[in-house]
Amino acid sequence: MPAEKRAASPQKGSPKKSKKASPEKKKREYHMNVNHCLDKKVEVASLTEMMKLPVGMLEGVGKKTEEHLNDLGIKTIKDMGTWKYYKISKAIAVLALTEESGFRHDKARMNIDGALDKKFETKTLFEISKCSPVVLQGLGPKAEGALDALHLTTVDKLSSYKFFERAEALVDLAAHERKQK
């Protein structure tokens, strides 16, 4: 055996090198919470689990509010955070702030006809934001009653209703949650 190999190989009777035991992974300590967003009973739920919770589990949503939301077809936090009429209202309200009053280019083709009742299709975003949410295509008299009971009397008010905002935030973050091991 060549000298280099003899020097590198362990001698008979000498102790073998033992592998050091890797220190156990420390459990990660998370500090985020949404305690002022949810009912105390469900604060420990994962974001994914929260999606299936009834809207009444949002802190501040009482029985009457939950009933009115249910009348709108909104049963869960996910339903609320993804409700198309809220999303459309929010988009209108946000973009209304960017609108230049009294000016639309002659060749502009932008429209939201698929979201509005026909008689509101030519209005400005600002004007639409000050209208009742029933200008949104698909919301009828039953929805108007429920929205009025919730004091959501304009597109603008619907767009900034705190419970929709919170539900939407939970939905958005739930898409980024990883399962814990």
Side-chain angles (χ1 to χ4, degrees):
M1 183 184 288
E4 309 94 39
K5 284 207 173 189
R6 268 185 276 139
S9 63
Q11 302 290 325
K12 281 188 181 180
S14 67
K16 291 185 178 179
K17 286 187 178 178
S18 63
K19 291 184 181 177
K20 287 185 178 180
S22 62
E24 285 190 39
K25 283 188 175 180
K26 278 188 170 180
K27 186 172 182 174
R28 291 171 72 177
E29 290 185 34
Y30 291 93
H31 301 282
M32 70 180 74
N33 69 75
V34 290
N35 293 347
H36 293 293
C37 182
L38 296 170
D39 188 281
K40 298 285 180 225
K41 295 179 268 191
V42 294
E43 285 177 352
V44 298
S46 70
L47 289 164
T48 304
E49 293 165 337
M50 290 175 198
M51 298 303 95
K52 299 171 190 162
L53 293 174
V55 290
M57 289 293 109
L58 288 169
E59 188 175 278
V61 173
K63 288 283 182 210
K64 283 284 185 198
T65 299
E66 185 173 14
E67 286 173 18
H68 296 307
L69 291 167
N70 288 175
D71 289 343
L72 295 168
I74 300 167
K75 309 284 187 217
T76 66
I77 290 174
K78 184 176 182 180
D79 293 341
M80 191 170 197
T82 59
W83 197 52
K84 76 176 187 176
Y85 301 107
Y86 162 69
K87 301 291 243 179
I88 293 167
S89 294
K90 183 177 155 190
I92 290 168
V94 166
L95 293 177
L97 299 173
T98 70
E99 207 166 38
E100 186 177 351
S101 181
F103 180 77
R104 178 178 163 110
H105 196 282
D106 292 341
K107 295 182 181 177
R109 297 187 315 267
M110 179 184 78
N111 72 74
I112 55 171
D113 294 353
L116 299 171
D117 283 344
K118 195 154 197 70
K119 66 182 179 180
F120 296 93
E121 291 175 354
T122 59
K123 303 283 185 199
T124 66
L125 293 170
F126 180 79
E127 291 170 324
I128 296 164
S129 74
K130 302 306 175 200
C131 291
S132 166
V134 296
V135 304
L136 303 176
Q137 200 173 84
L139 288 178
K142 183 179 177 185
E144 184 173 25
L147 291 165
D148 284 349
L150 294 167
H151 308 287
L152 302 177
T153 54
T154 66
V155 168
D156 202 35
K157 286 181 180 179
L158 174 57
S159 77
S160 60
Y161 190 50
K162 69 181 178 182
F163 299 121
F164 278 108
E165 291 175 330
R166 291 173 184 177
E168 179 185 41
L170 291 169
V171 168
D172 290 348
L173 290 182
H176 302 283
E177 184 174 62
R178 292 188 180 141
K179 282 193 173 192
Q180 297 281 317
K181 292 180 183 179

